[in-house]
Amino acid sequence: MTQETGRLTEDVVLREVDINGEKRAVYNSSIAIRRSAEVTTFLRFSAWGQHARFLEKYFKKGSPVTLVGELRNDSYEKNGVKVQTLYLLVDKVAFVPENKSEGGTE
């Protein structure tokens, strides 16, 4: 499992996805992780079901958040070129006190 702490880069807007006849909430976005005064890393993530709804209820753009989950690879083709991406599949969402929101992996 990987744990990262950062700030949401956009307001939470859920999508409903039909999976085998069942509607599931999903939220795909990124967090900004400040590594130092000069370096910020942006990590894409995907939160499903209760995790997506928790984010929608309690967080907004700029909110500090800790995400725990599994790093996953994905790929797609754009203009004939294969693009590889890395994202965090969220397994846990946690609040972060304002003064602890900067600083990366704990």
XYZ file of all heavy atoms in Angstrom:
847
model
N 0.835 -1.188 0.000
C 0.000 0.000 0.000
C 0.880 1.252 0.000
O 1.938 1.269 0.605
C -0.887 0.049 1.234
C -2.018 -0.936 1.237
S -3.233 -0.439 0.022
C -4.382 -1.737 0.195
N 0.395 2.265 -0.643
C 1.075 3.551 -0.721
C 0.210 4.603 -0.041
O -1.005 4.613 -0.200
C 1.299 3.951 -2.194
O 2.109 2.963 -2.813
C 1.966 5.294 -2.306
N 0.859 5.490 0.714
C 0.147 6.581 1.383
C 0.755 7.896 0.937
O 1.966 8.073 0.991
C 0.269 6.440 2.897
C -0.365 7.589 3.661
C -0.303 7.385 5.160
O -0.651 6.325 5.640
N 0.152 8.392 5.881
N -0.102 8.810 0.492
C 0.342 10.138 0.076
C -0.574 11.196 0.671
O -1.787 10.997 0.769
C 0.351 10.277 -1.445
C 1.387 9.436 -2.146
C 2.817 9.893 -1.920
O 3.033 11.029 -1.430
O 3.719 9.119 -2.240
N 0.015 12.326 1.046
C -0.730 13.453 1.584
C -0.512 14.656 0.685
O 0.615 14.967 0.319
C -0.262 13.778 3.019
O -0.499 12.635 3.835
C -1.015 14.963 3.588
N -1.604 15.309 0.312
C -1.517 16.484 -0.551
C -2.831 17.236 -0.527
O -3.661 17.040 0.359
N -3.015 18.095 -1.518
C -4.240 18.894 -1.621
C -4.963 18.552 -2.921
O -4.326 18.383 -3.970
C -3.908 20.387 -1.590
C -3.359 20.827 -0.240
C -3.119 22.324 -0.210
N -2.626 22.733 1.092
C -3.409 23.104 2.106
N -4.711 23.123 1.955
N -2.888 23.463 3.263
N -6.296 18.479 -2.831
C -7.087 18.215 -4.033
C -6.899 19.335 -5.049
O -6.880 20.508 -4.682
C -8.572 18.105 -3.692
C -9.008 16.851 -2.941
C -10.511 16.906 -2.670
C -8.672 15.594 -3.708
N -6.770 18.968 -6.305
C -6.519 19.952 -7.352
C -7.795 20.500 -7.987
O -7.733 21.418 -8.795
C -5.633 19.367 -8.460
O -6.308 18.249 -9.043
C -4.285 18.949 -7.911
N -8.951 19.922 -7.623
C -10.220 20.408 -8.170
C -11.359 20.015 -7.236
O -11.203 19.138 -6.388
C -10.470 19.854 -9.571
C -10.523 18.352 -9.626
C -10.532 17.795 -11.045
O -10.176 18.524 -11.986
O -10.891 16.638 -11.199
N -12.509 20.690 -7.401
C -13.685 20.331 -6.607
C -14.137 18.920 -6.969
O -13.940 18.453 -8.097
C -14.824 21.320 -6.846
C -14.606 22.641 -6.123
O -14.035 22.618 -5.014
O -15.000 23.687 -6.666
N -14.752 18.253 -6.002
C -15.197 16.876 -6.193
C -16.504 16.854 -6.981
O -17.499 17.445 -6.572
C -15.395 16.165 -4.839
C -15.854 14.733 -5.049
C -14.110 16.206 -4.019
N -16.477 16.183 -8.127
C -17.665 15.972 -8.945
C -17.713 14.478 -9.266
O -16.853 13.966 -9.990
C -17.627 16.798 -10.250
C -18.862 16.509 -11.094
C -17.512 18.283 -9.948
N -18.696 13.802 -8.692
C -18.810 12.356 -8.901
C -19.440 12.045 -10.245
O -20.245 12.802 -10.765
C -19.681 11.729 -7.810
C -19.197 11.814 -6.378
C -20.119 10.998 -5.486
C -17.779 11.329 -6.235
N -19.047 10.892 -10.770
C -19.718 10.319 -11.940
C -20.347 9.017 -11.487
O -19.833 8.345 -10.605
C -18.722 10.001 -13.065
C -18.152 11.190 -13.756
C -17.265 10.812 -14.942
N -16.197 9.897 -14.579
C -15.991 8.706 -15.132
N -16.794 8.242 -16.071
N -14.979 7.949 -14.760
N -21.463 8.665 -12.086
C -22.099 7.374 -11.830
C -21.768 6.461 -13.007
O -21.972 6.830 -14.160
C -23.613 7.520 -11.690
C -24.044 8.297 -10.453
C -23.865 7.519 -9.156
O -23.942 6.273 -9.175
O -23.655 8.163 -8.115
N -21.247 5.281 -12.699
C -20.852 4.325 -13.722
C -21.684 3.064 -13.545
O -21.870 2.585 -12.426
C -19.343 3.990 -13.595
C -18.928 2.970 -14.623
C -18.509 5.251 -13.721
N -22.186 2.524 -14.653
C -22.968 1.291 -14.608
C -22.021 0.098 -14.773
O -21.368 -0.046 -15.797
C -24.008 1.303 -15.732
C -24.982 0.149 -15.641
O -24.662 -0.868 -14.993
O -26.077 0.263 -16.211
N -21.939 -0.726 -13.724
C -21.098 -1.923 -13.761
C -21.994 -3.128 -13.519
O -22.536 -3.298 -12.423
C -19.972 -1.864 -12.713
C -19.073 -0.669 -12.987
C -19.179 -3.165 -12.699
C -17.986 -0.456 -11.984
N -22.194 -3.921 -14.568
C -23.054 -5.109 -14.491
C -24.443 -4.773 -13.960
O -24.988 -5.470 -13.104
C -22.406 -6.200 -13.634
C -21.100 -6.680 -14.217
O -20.937 -6.726 -15.431
N -20.164 -7.029 -13.367
N -25.017 -3.667 -14.431
C -26.353 -3.272 -14.032
C -26.434 -2.550 -12.704
O -27.514 -2.188 -12.252
N -25.307 -2.325 -12.056
C -25.284 -1.637 -10.766
C -24.571 -0.297 -10.917
O -23.481 -0.220 -11.477
C -24.535 -2.493 -9.739
C -24.484 -1.886 -8.362
C -23.705 -2.764 -7.377
O -23.636 -3.979 -7.582
O -23.152 -2.188 -6.430
N -25.199 0.773 -10.414
C -24.589 2.109 -10.473
C -23.563 2.251 -9.358
O -23.837 1.940 -8.209
C -25.649 3.196 -10.312
C -26.650 3.242 -11.433
C -26.110 4.032 -12.571
C -27.204 4.197 -13.621
N -26.714 4.832 -14.800
N -22.352 2.726 -9.724
C -21.294 2.970 -8.739
C -20.753 4.371 -8.935
O -20.556 4.817 -10.062
C -20.156 1.967 -8.911
C -20.624 0.568 -8.595
C -19.626 -0.361 -7.997
N -18.720 0.196 -7.033
C -17.451 -0.189 -6.920
N -16.959 -1.105 -7.714
N -16.677 0.343 -6.007
N -20.495 5.049 -7.810
C -19.918 6.386 -7.861
C -18.413 6.272 -8.052
O -17.762 5.397 -7.475
C -20.214 7.123 -6.562
N -17.860 7.181 -8.857
C -16.411 7.230 -9.059
C -15.976 8.689 -9.131
O -16.705 9.551 -9.630
C -15.967 6.462 -10.324
C -16.544 7.075 -11.585
C -14.445 6.379 -10.410
N -14.799 8.963 -8.590
C -14.197 10.286 -8.662
C -12.742 10.112 -9.073
O -11.962 9.473 -8.375
C -14.291 10.998 -7.312
C -13.579 12.330 -7.244
C -13.813 13.313 -8.197
C -12.678 12.602 -6.226
C -13.169 14.538 -8.137
C -12.036 13.827 -6.153
C -12.282 14.790 -7.107
O -11.631 16.003 -7.041
N -12.393 10.645 -10.225
C -11.027 10.610 -10.735
C -10.475 12.023 -10.718
O -11.090 12.935 -11.267
C -10.989 10.070 -12.168
C -11.467 8.646 -12.258
O -11.021 7.785 -11.514
N -12.385 8.387 -13.168
N -9.317 12.201 -10.092
C -8.718 13.527 -10.009
C -7.237 13.380 -9.685
O -6.639 12.352 -9.975
C -9.429 14.361 -8.941
O -8.980 15.706 -8.993
N -6.679 14.419 -9.048
C -5.280 14.358 -8.627
C -5.091 15.170 -7.355
O -5.914 16.012 -7.008
C -4.343 14.875 -9.728
O -4.636 16.216 -10.042
N -3.990 14.862 -6.664
C -3.588 15.661 -5.517
C -2.219 16.254 -5.819
O -1.415 15.667 -6.538
C -3.543 14.859 -4.195
C -2.606 13.658 -4.276
C -4.935 14.458 -3.762
C -2.382 12.958 -2.941
N -2.001 17.447 -5.275
C -0.704 18.124 -5.389
C 0.061 17.827 -4.106
O -0.402 18.137 -3.014
C -0.896 19.623 -5.560
N 1.222 17.211 -4.260
C 2.050 16.823 -3.120
C 3.299 17.695 -3.129
O 4.134 17.597 -4.030
C 2.455 15.339 -3.217
C 1.214 14.467 -3.379
C 3.279 14.926 -2.000
C 1.515 13.078 -3.911
N 3.404 18.564 -2.142
C 4.545 19.483 -2.081
C 5.734 18.745 -1.466
O 5.736 18.417 -0.291
C 4.184 20.713 -1.265
C 5.238 21.769 -1.343
C 4.732 23.045 -0.751
N 5.758 24.054 -0.912
C 5.612 25.284 -0.525
N 4.486 25.664 0.032
N 6.570 26.153 -0.684
N 6.755 18.493 -2.283
C 7.943 17.769 -1.837
C 8.961 18.706 -1.194
O 9.677 18.335 -0.283
C 8.591 17.029 -3.007
C 7.696 16.053 -3.708
C 7.417 14.857 -2.860
N 6.619 13.882 -3.615
C 5.990 12.890 -3.061
N 6.046 12.698 -1.769
N 5.278 12.075 -3.784
N 9.039 19.923 -1.725
C 9.934 20.961 -1.195
C 9.399 22.298 -1.688
O 8.387 22.341 -2.383
C 11.371 20.743 -1.682
O 11.470 21.006 -3.071
N 10.085 23.375 -1.356
C 9.643 24.700 -1.799
C 9.614 24.803 -3.323
O 8.824 25.554 -3.886
C 10.545 25.777 -1.215
N 10.475 24.031 -3.997
C 10.582 24.113 -5.456
C 9.914 22.963 -6.196
O 9.765 23.024 -7.410
C 12.061 24.136 -5.892
C 12.868 25.298 -5.382
C 13.408 25.071 -3.971
O 13.599 23.913 -3.579
O 13.618 26.055 -3.262
N 9.543 21.885 -5.488
C 9.065 20.678 -6.173
C 7.677 20.266 -5.676
O 7.478 20.032 -4.483
C 10.045 19.501 -5.964
C 9.529 18.242 -6.642
C 11.425 19.861 -6.478
N 6.733 20.170 -6.611
C 5.400 19.654 -6.328
C 5.124 18.510 -7.298
O 5.342 18.646 -8.501
C 4.325 20.737 -6.488
O 4.606 21.807 -5.580
C 2.935 20.197 -6.214
N 4.653 17.383 -6.771
C 4.299 16.224 -7.574
C 2.784 16.135 -7.651
O 2.097 16.310 -6.648
C 4.850 14.930 -6.936
O 6.260 15.029 -6.847
C 4.472 13.704 -7.743
N 2.274 15.875 -8.839
C 0.841 15.693 -9.021
C 0.576 14.209 -9.250
O 1.121 13.615 -10.174
C 0.326 16.521 -10.200
C 0.426 17.993 -9.935
C 1.575 18.700 -10.251
C -0.627 18.668 -9.335
C 1.673 20.053 -9.997
C -0.532 20.031 -9.072
C 0.612 20.723 -9.403
N -0.248 13.623 -8.386
C -0.545 12.195 -8.465
C -2.022 12.014 -8.795
O -2.895 12.499 -8.075
C -0.224 11.504 -7.134
C -0.564 10.016 -7.044
C 0.258 9.204 -8.052
C -0.341 9.503 -5.635
N -2.295 11.318 -9.900
C -3.670 10.990 -10.279
C -4.184 9.917 -9.330
O -3.420 9.088 -8.837
C -3.730 10.453 -11.716
C -3.229 11.391 -12.779
C -4.135 12.509 -13.180
N -5.498 12.088 -13.461
C -6.551 12.898 -13.385
N -6.409 14.152 -13.021
N -7.745 12.477 -13.655
N -5.495 9.942 -9.075
C -6.096 8.887 -8.256
C -7.509 8.595 -8.731
O -8.133 9.392 -9.431
C -6.089 9.266 -6.769
C -7.029 10.371 -6.390
C -8.347 10.111 -6.047
C -6.593 11.690 -6.374
C -9.216 11.136 -5.706
C -7.443 12.715 -6.020
C -8.767 12.441 -5.689
N -7.990 7.422 -8.337
C -9.348 7.005 -8.635
C -9.969 6.483 -7.350
O -9.442 5.565 -6.727
C -9.331 5.905 -9.706
O -10.642 5.541 -10.055
N -11.084 7.100 -6.939
C -11.803 6.685 -5.732
C -13.186 6.186 -6.145
O -13.886 6.856 -6.908
C -11.930 7.851 -4.758
N -13.571 5.024 -5.645
C -14.840 4.398 -6.002
C -15.744 4.272 -4.787
O -15.276 4.213 -3.646
C -14.592 3.004 -6.575
C -13.989 3.031 -7.933
C -12.662 3.195 -8.243
C -14.666 2.911 -9.169
N -12.489 3.180 -9.596
C -13.703 2.998 -10.193
C -16.003 2.725 -9.508
C -14.035 2.918 -11.535
C -16.331 2.633 -10.856
C -15.358 2.732 -11.855
N -17.047 4.195 -5.031
C -18.031 3.880 -4.001
C -17.977 4.797 -2.797
O -18.023 6.021 -2.920
N -17.868 4.181 -1.606
C -17.909 4.960 -0.360
C -16.765 5.953 -0.249
O -16.923 7.022 0.345
C -17.901 4.022 0.854
C -16.605 3.259 1.034
C -16.665 2.261 2.182
O -17.738 1.931 2.677
N -15.517 1.793 2.601
N -15.618 5.642 -0.828
C -14.484 6.570 -0.776
C -14.777 7.821 -1.614
O -14.467 8.942 -1.208
C -13.199 5.898 -1.250
C -12.884 4.646 -0.510
N -12.728 4.602 0.861
C -12.709 3.377 -0.932
C -12.471 3.374 1.243
N -12.460 2.606 0.172
N -15.377 7.630 -2.783
C -15.756 8.760 -3.635
C -16.811 9.621 -2.942
O -16.721 10.851 -2.936
C -16.283 8.254 -4.974
N -17.791 9.001 -2.322
C -18.852 9.745 -1.628
C -18.313 10.491 -0.402
O -18.743 11.599 -0.091
C -19.990 8.808 -1.246
C -20.681 8.244 -2.469
C -22.049 7.694 -2.186
N -22.594 7.027 -3.350
C -23.055 7.625 -4.438
N -23.012 8.930 -4.533
N -23.537 6.934 -5.451
N -17.356 9.892 0.306
C -16.728 10.548 1.454
C -15.998 11.813 0.999
O -16.106 12.869 1.622
C -15.763 9.572 2.132
C -15.122 10.094 3.384
C -15.822 10.109 4.587
C -13.819 10.555 3.369
C -15.225 10.581 5.756
C -13.214 11.031 4.518
C -13.925 11.044 5.723
N -15.245 11.708 -0.104
C -14.555 12.874 -0.649
C -15.555 13.965 -1.041
O -15.343 15.141 -0.758
C -13.704 12.476 -1.855
C -12.392 11.775 -1.527
C -11.853 11.034 -2.747
C -11.372 12.766 -1.007
N -16.653 13.572 -1.671
C -17.666 14.545 -2.093
C -18.268 15.272 -0.893
O -18.499 16.482 -0.938
C -18.773 13.840 -2.873
C -19.885 14.776 -3.311
C -21.046 14.041 -3.945
O -21.455 12.980 -3.425
O -21.550 14.554 -4.953
N -18.494 14.563 0.181
C -19.161 15.125 1.354
C -18.267 16.067 2.161
O -18.719 17.096 2.661
C -19.653 13.995 2.247
C -20.478 14.457 3.422
C -21.081 13.283 4.163
C -21.949 13.763 5.321
N -22.577 12.647 6.031
N -16.978 15.733 2.289
C -16.119 16.447 3.234
C -14.971 17.263 2.631
O -14.295 17.984 3.353
C -15.521 15.456 4.236
C -16.561 14.800 5.101
C -16.904 13.469 4.915
C -17.222 15.516 6.099
C -17.863 12.853 5.714
C -18.183 14.921 6.893
C -18.495 13.589 6.700
O -19.446 12.990 7.478
N -14.721 17.150 1.341
C -13.549 17.797 0.754
C -13.925 18.670 -0.437
O -14.960 18.473 -1.067
C -12.525 16.744 0.314
C -11.975 15.932 1.447
C -12.631 14.797 1.881
C -10.808 16.311 2.083
C -12.139 14.038 2.937
C -10.302 15.565 3.145
C -10.976 14.426 3.569
N -13.054 19.645 -0.739
C -13.219 20.507 -1.905
C -11.828 20.848 -2.438
O -10.813 20.481 -1.839
C -13.981 21.779 -1.536
C -13.252 22.629 -0.523
C -14.046 23.850 -0.154
C -13.224 24.651 0.852
N -13.889 25.833 1.312
N -11.779 21.575 -3.541
C -10.505 21.979 -4.126
C -9.641 22.656 -3.068
O -10.098 23.535 -2.342
C -10.742 22.937 -5.293
C -9.466 23.397 -5.964
C -9.763 24.324 -7.116
C -8.483 24.764 -7.789
N -8.763 25.612 -8.948
N -8.376 22.224 -2.958
C -7.444 22.807 -2.002
C -7.436 22.137 -0.642
O -6.558 22.412 0.176
N -8.415 21.261 -0.384
C -8.463 20.576 0.917
C -7.284 19.623 1.064
O -6.973 18.874 0.147
C -9.744 19.746 1.050
O -10.880 20.543 1.071
N -6.647 19.626 2.253
C -5.608 18.636 2.501
C -6.247 17.273 2.732
O -7.314 17.177 3.368
C -4.914 19.154 3.757
C -5.929 19.982 4.451
C -6.811 20.548 3.382
N -5.639 16.233 2.202
C -6.198 14.886 2.303
C -5.060 13.860 2.274
O -4.035 14.082 1.634
C -7.198 14.615 1.153
C -6.528 14.660 -0.206
C -7.945 13.300 1.349
N -5.243 12.779 3.003
C -4.331 11.641 2.913
C -5.069 10.514 2.202
O -6.192 10.170 2.569
C -3.866 11.162 4.300
O -3.077 12.192 4.894
C -3.016 9.909 4.202
N -4.440 9.974 1.171
C -4.996 8.861 0.411
C -4.087 7.655 0.575
O -2.864 7.774 0.490
C -5.101 9.216 -1.071
C -5.935 10.445 -1.425
C -5.855 10.711 -2.923
C -7.383 10.266 -0.995
N -4.691 6.509 0.803
C -3.959 5.254 0.903
C -4.516 4.321 -0.153
O -5.744 4.239 -0.338
C -4.126 4.618 2.303
C -3.372 3.294 2.387
C -3.657 5.568 3.387
N -3.650 3.627 -0.851
C -4.129 2.712 -1.876
C -2.992 2.028 -2.602
O -1.846 2.044 -2.163
N -3.348 1.458 -3.723
C -2.409 0.686 -4.539
C -2.081 1.446 -5.815
O -2.983 1.934 -6.506
C -3.059 -0.656 -4.893
C -2.178 -1.582 -5.662
C -2.883 -2.899 -5.953
O -3.725 -3.330 -5.163
O -2.580 -3.481 -7.020
N -0.799 1.553 -6.130
C -0.393 2.182 -7.382
C -0.711 1.234 -8.530
O -0.438 0.029 -8.457
C 1.098 2.501 -7.375
C 1.514 3.660 -6.473
C 3.035 3.777 -6.444
C 0.888 4.964 -6.928
N -1.302 1.784 -9.581
C -1.688 0.992 -10.750
C -1.165 1.651 -12.022
O -1.087 2.860 -12.102
C -3.211 0.899 -10.861
C -3.901 0.194 -9.712
C -3.866 -1.305 -9.952
N -4.530 -2.043 -8.920
C -5.760 -2.538 -9.014
N -6.477 -2.331 -10.093
N -6.265 -3.232 -8.017
N -0.846 0.830 -12.999
C -0.471 1.308 -14.331
C -1.697 1.259 -15.218
O -2.548 0.386 -15.068
C 0.592 0.411 -14.957
C 1.954 0.629 -14.377
O 2.150 1.508 -13.565
N 2.895 -0.193 -14.779
N -1.758 2.179 -16.156
C -2.809 2.175 -17.157
C -2.167 2.621 -18.459
O -1.114 3.267 -18.458
C -3.935 3.131 -16.756
C -5.217 2.871 -17.524
O -5.295 1.850 -18.242
O -6.151 3.689 -17.417
N -2.766 2.263 -19.557
C -2.250 2.714 -20.845
C -3.410 2.944 -21.802
O -4.476 2.345 -21.666
C -1.270 1.702 -21.432
O -1.932 0.490 -21.703
N -3.187 3.863 -22.730
C -4.161 4.136 -23.768
C -3.402 4.648 -24.979
O -2.209 4.967 -24.899
C -5.226 5.138 -23.300
C -4.670 6.492 -22.904
C -4.586 7.536 -23.823
C -4.221 6.723 -21.608
C -4.088 8.773 -23.456
C -3.723 7.958 -21.229
C -3.660 8.972 -22.158
O -3.150 10.196 -21.790
N -4.084 4.717 -26.109
C -3.450 5.200 -27.324
C -3.995 6.579 -27.667
O -5.202 6.814 -27.623
C -3.716 4.236 -28.476
C -2.778 4.461 -29.626
C -2.834 3.329 -30.628
O -2.560 2.183 -30.241
O -3.156 3.635 -31.792
N -3.083 7.509 -27.959
C -3.470 8.870 -28.346
C -2.690 9.243 -29.595
O -1.455 9.242 -29.584
C -3.168 9.841 -27.204
C -3.595 11.252 -27.485
C -3.390 12.143 -26.285
C -3.883 13.537 -26.584
N -3.767 14.403 -25.424
N -3.410 9.537 -30.653
C -2.790 9.901 -31.940
C -1.775 8.853 -32.396
O -0.700 9.182 -32.879
C -2.131 11.275 -31.852
C -3.107 12.373 -31.532
O -4.279 12.306 -31.913
N -2.656 13.367 -30.804
N -2.122 7.590 -32.178
C -1.268 6.495 -32.619
C -0.086 6.206 -31.713
O 0.743 5.353 -32.026
N 0.009 6.895 -30.589
C 1.124 6.697 -29.657
C 0.577 6.109 -28.357
O -0.403 6.608 -27.794
C 1.835 8.044 -29.357
C 2.947 7.851 -28.332
C 2.381 8.651 -30.641
N 1.233 5.041 -27.875
C 0.813 4.433 -26.623
C 1.299 5.288 -25.451
O 2.471 5.630 -25.356
C 1.379 3.020 -26.494
C 0.832 2.263 -25.311
C 1.291 0.820 -25.316
C 0.667 0.066 -24.164
N 1.065 -1.333 -24.170
N 0.354 5.660 -24.560
C 0.662 6.495 -23.406
C 0.512 5.651 -22.138
O -0.506 4.979 -21.956
C -0.297 7.707 -23.342
C -0.006 8.556 -22.113
C -0.201 8.538 -24.609
N 1.533 5.672 -21.287
C 1.510 4.955 -20.019
C 1.219 5.955 -18.902
O 1.783 7.047 -18.887
C 2.865 4.300 -19.743
C 3.260 3.239 -20.734
C 2.537 1.929 -20.496
O 2.148 1.617 -19.379
N 2.356 1.170 -21.551
N 0.351 5.583 -17.967
C 0.053 6.445 -16.831
C 0.145 5.647 -15.535
O 0.062 4.427 -15.534
C -1.361 7.060 -16.934
O -2.328 6.007 -16.909
C -1.513 7.882 -18.186
N 0.307 6.367 -14.445
C 0.356 5.778 -13.115
C -0.670 6.508 -12.263
O -0.770 7.731 -12.325
C 1.761 5.959 -12.506
C 1.992 5.369 -11.129
C 2.015 3.845 -11.207
C 3.306 5.872 -10.560
N -1.462 5.758 -11.492
C -2.455 6.388 -10.624
C -2.594 5.572 -9.350
O -2.140 4.425 -9.262
C -3.798 6.543 -11.338
C -4.533 5.239 -11.587
C -5.542 4.812 -10.716
C -4.236 4.437 -12.677
C -6.209 3.622 -10.933
C -4.899 3.257 -12.901
C -5.888 2.850 -12.032
O -6.552 1.654 -12.239
N -3.226 6.174 -8.350
C -3.462 5.515 -7.074
C -4.918 5.078 -7.018
O -5.824 5.898 -7.166
C -3.163 6.479 -5.918
C -3.276 5.907 -4.520
C -2.111 4.958 -4.249
C -3.285 7.015 -3.481
N -5.163 3.788 -6.839
C -6.506 3.268 -6.634
C -6.772 3.346 -5.137
O -6.162 2.628 -4.345
C -6.626 1.829 -7.138
C -8.004 1.183 -6.977
C -9.074 1.983 -7.707
C -7.965 -0.247 -7.482
N -7.642 4.251 -4.733
C -7.843 4.604 -3.328
C -8.548 3.492 -2.556
O -9.586 2.981 -2.980
C -8.635 5.921 -3.209
C -8.954 6.231 -1.761
C -7.860 7.057 -3.853
N -7.953 3.170 -1.397
C -8.513 2.185 -0.489
C -8.914 2.825 0.841
O -9.689 2.263 1.599
C -7.479 1.077 -0.234
C -8.060 -0.085 0.536
O -9.109 -0.604 0.114
O -7.470 -0.476 1.564
N -8.379 4.031 1.115
C -8.682 4.732 2.360
C -8.483 6.224 2.149
O -7.543 6.643 1.473
C -7.756 4.242 3.475
C -8.018 4.875 4.817
C -7.068 4.331 5.878
C -7.300 5.028 7.196
N -6.330 4.622 8.209
N -9.379 7.031 2.759
C -9.298 8.488 2.706
C -9.281 8.995 4.143
O -10.057 8.513 4.969
C -10.514 9.098 1.968
C -10.429 10.614 1.947
C -10.627 8.543 0.559
N -8.410 9.961 4.438
C -8.331 10.484 5.804
C -8.197 12.000 5.799
O -7.605 12.584 4.892
C -7.151 9.866 6.536
N -8.758 12.617 6.854
C -8.579 14.052 7.074
C -7.143 14.321 7.495
O -6.475 13.459 8.065
C -9.495 14.537 8.206
C -10.947 14.491 7.869
C -11.752 13.483 8.372
C -11.520 15.449 7.050
C -13.105 13.435 8.074
C -12.871 15.410 6.749
C -13.660 14.395 7.264
N -6.685 15.552 7.219
C -5.344 15.984 7.615
C -5.473 17.345 8.283
O -6.090 18.242 7.709
C -4.417 16.126 6.385
C -3.054 16.632 6.786
C -4.319 14.814 5.641
N -4.895 17.517 9.464
C -4.879 18.868 10.067
C -4.162 19.816 9.130
O -3.183 19.445 8.472
C -4.099 18.676 11.366
C -4.147 17.211 11.644
C -4.249 16.528 10.303
N -4.607 21.048 9.039
C -4.030 22.035 8.110
C -2.517 22.124 8.165
O -1.857 22.215 7.164
C -4.630 23.416 8.353
C -5.993 23.600 7.755
C -6.001 23.631 6.228
O -5.044 24.122 5.610
O -6.984 23.168 5.665
N -1.904 22.108 9.361
C -0.457 22.268 9.451
C 0.320 21.027 9.041
O 1.527 21.060 8.932
C -0.044 22.689 10.865
C -0.428 21.649 11.914
O -1.136 20.704 11.620
N 0.016 21.850 13.128
N -0.345 19.902 8.761
C 0.329 18.669 8.354
C 0.124 18.363 6.884
O 0.520 17.315 6.414
C -0.223 17.488 9.172
C -0.034 17.635 10.645
C 1.044 16.755 11.105
C 1.122 16.837 12.605
N 2.274 16.259 13.131
N -0.486 19.269 6.136
C -0.899 18.960 4.767
C 0.232 18.974 3.766
O 0.112 18.433 2.678
C -1.988 19.923 4.325
O -1.492 21.230 4.308
N 1.336 19.566 4.078
C 2.455 19.623 3.135
C 3.496 18.608 3.541
O 3.794 18.441 4.704
C 3.082 21.019 3.137
C 2.099 22.147 2.927
C 1.446 22.155 1.562
O 2.037 21.614 0.637
O 0.347 22.679 1.440
N 4.038 17.882 2.574
C 5.174 17.078 2.954
C 5.259 15.674 2.432
O 6.183 14.963 2.753
N 4.325 15.191 1.621
C 4.508 13.908 0.970
C 4.207 12.699 1.807
O 3.381 12.722 2.686
N 4.926 11.635 1.516
C 4.674 10.341 2.126
C 4.989 10.352 3.616
O 5.995 10.877 4.047
C 5.533 9.255 1.438
O 5.260 9.296 0.049
C 5.237 7.882 1.984
N 4.083 9.743 4.364
C 4.297 9.626 5.807
C 4.599 8.196 6.160
O 4.198 7.284 5.557
C 3.047 10.075 6.558
C 2.758 11.535 6.311
C 1.515 11.990 7.043
O 0.463 11.348 6.923
O 1.609 12.991 7.748
